[in-house]
Amino acid sequence: MKIIRDPEKISIETGKNKQLKKRIGFVPTMGALHPGHFSLISRARKENDIVAVSIFVNPAQFGKGEDFKKYPRRFKQDIESCRRLGVDLVFLPDRDNMYPEGYSTFVNVDNLSDCLCGASRPGHFRGVATVVAKLLNILHPDALYLGQKDAQQAIIISRMVKDLNFPVKVKVLPTVRQEDGLALSSRNAYLNKQERSVALVLSKALRLAETLIRNGQRNCGRIISRMRQLIEKNRPAKIDYIAIIDPEQLKELRKIEPGCLIALAVKIGKVRLIDNTVIGRV
Ligand code: PAF
């Protein structure tokens, strides 16, 4: 496994592999790798000749007062996990490599970036789209692996890939959960014991919505209000948003449609968590 910090060097490395007609699968991460990331890496391992993982806590996607400084950094452990999972290339750039002095170019995916998580995290998706565009230009992968847990991120990146003609196939893999339903996230590490148990309200609210839909409820307002009631009973959970939306335009729906996305963000104390479910046939 090669660990490379310099964007030019990793471009040369992936370029050599492309000349040899090797298929490259890429998993972008901010580190603090957990089984959610492992499932992306394992799938990339199965489907490609070369697997590249980036580990970069991207300052451009954190707003003022957010957790950039305290975001968990466990590079040594992450590198060991990559080695164990058969990763070929780890890209570990530093801030100056990615955003050298004078850096001025940003990618904004209009219409999709200011709602839901973007409403409470202004500029977040601009930072995400910018870094992913840069990573795709540096690594030239054939396939890009993302997690469904960050549904809005996956939708925005898929839009960007399409709009800017990146020659990469985007693959979005299911959310990995702990046995009790909590979606895996690097931010779960911030939760204390009591908050960890309150955090279950996110997945419980989604399961409630699924049950209501299975029992025939189609009115989005009513479903959201039942989810709201459930969450509000659990202090210190504080709802940021609950939305039922179409998965392309992220427009709020009045009636449940096949393929619609139910997404929510809830603050548990100081920790903001997200989760979602896709409703299949109705
Ligand atoms: O999901 C993440 O970890 C990040 O947003 C990503 C896609 C690696 C971009 O920094």
Side-chain angles (χ1 to χ4, degrees):
M1 185 176 84
K2 292 187 181 167
I3 301 166
I4 302 177
R5 291 181 178 275
D6 181 352
E8 271 180 41
K9 288 201 177 127
I10 198 145
S11 285
I12 293 172
E13 193 62 38
T14 52
K16 275 197 248 161
N17 282 296
K18 285 197 87 89
Q19 275 190 343
L20 296 170
K21 301 263 180 284
K22 303 257 193 208
R23 196 184 148 77
I24 302 172
F26 171 48
V27 183
T29 82
M30 296 206 299
L33 303 182
H34 53 64
H37 298 110
F38 302 162
S39 85
L40 304 179
I41 297 172
S42 303
R43 178 71 82 86
R45 183 66 284 163
K46 276 198 198 120
E47 296 180 348
N48 300 277
D49 303 306
I50 299 291
V51 176
V53 171
S54 64
I55 302 176
F56 178 58
V57 185
N58 172 34
Q61 69 188 74
F62 290 81
K64 268 201 191 122
E66 288 191 352
D67 55 344
F68 174 67
K69 281 212 175 114
K70 73 165 197 190
Y71 196 84
R73 287 162 173 84
R74 300 190 217 117
F75 300 132
K76 241 177 141 182
Q77 218 174 301
D78 291 344
I79 285 168
E80 272 327 298
S81 303
C82 288
R83 209 184 294 283
R84 180 173 51 81
L85 293 163
V87 171
D88 301 289
L89 300 171
V90 176
F91 181 40
L92 199 70
D94 60 27
R95 190 182 185 140
D96 291 346
N97 276 331
M98 292 298 275
Y99 301 109
E101 209 170 307
Y103 187 89
S104 329
T105 306
F106 292 87
V107 179
N108 197 53
V109 180
D110 283 355
N111 303 324
L112 303 179
S113 297
D114 297 330
C115 57
L116 309 175
C117 288
S120 42
R121 303 188 66 189
H124 169 66
F125 288 115
R126 174 185 189 255
V128 170
T130 301
V131 81
V132 174
K134 283 172 70 67
L135 291 166
L136 293 176
N137 281 331
I138 292 167
L139 290 147
H140 295 290
D142 298 281
L144 169 68
Y145 293 82
L146 301 170
Q148 172 64 24
K149 203 212 71 177
D150 296 299
Q152 188 177 8
Q153 166 170 286
I155 290 165
I156 287 173
I157 293 174
S158 301
R159 186 76 247 170
M160 177 190 78
V161 160
K162 200 167 175 200
D163 289 354
L164 296 183
N165 307 91
F166 281 103
V168 67
K169 179 135 185 52
V170 180
K171 305 208 172 192
V172 183
L173 303 192
T175 303
V176 178
R177 298 179 182 280
Q178 294 198 313
E179 260 179 35
D180 57 8
L182 183 69
L184 293 187
S185 159
S186 306
R187 290 194 168 94
N188 291 351
Y190 301 148
L191 299 167
N192 65 30
K193 209 169 161 207
Q194 192 237 344
E195 291 168 337
R196 165 70 183 69
S197 87
V198 173
L200 290 177
V201 283
L202 281 92
S203 57
K204 281 187 187 155
L206 292 169
R207 300 296 83 82
L208 169 66
E210 288 166 351
T211 306
L212 292 169
I213 294 166
R214 236 189 341 268
N215 293 341
Q217 181 58 269
R218 295 289 177 268
N219 183 307
C220 295
R222 294 216 178 106
I223 295 167
I224 290 174
S225 118
R226 289 286 303 276
M227 293 171 77
R228 193 173 280 285
Q229 277 169 18
L230 173 77
I231 296 170
E232 281 170 353
K233 276 198 273 179
N234 287 268
R235 281 201 189 171
K238 196 159 177 279
I239 298 166
D240 177 357
Y241 68 80
I242 304 176
I244 305 185
I245 51 211
D246 84 273
E248 286 204 1
Q249 315 277 327
L250 301 183
K251 292 270 179 273
E252 301 218 11
L253 299 172
R254 285 159 157 246
K255 283 228 144 40
I256 293 295
E257 289 173 6
C260 71
L261 181 70
I262 308 186
L264 77 171
V266 178
K267 270 186 110 175
I268 311 290
K270 287 190 172 149
V271 190
R272 185 176 177 281
L273 298 177
I274 57 172
D275 202 349
N276 67 83
T277 185
V278 178
I279 301 303
R281 272 186 286 153
V282 287

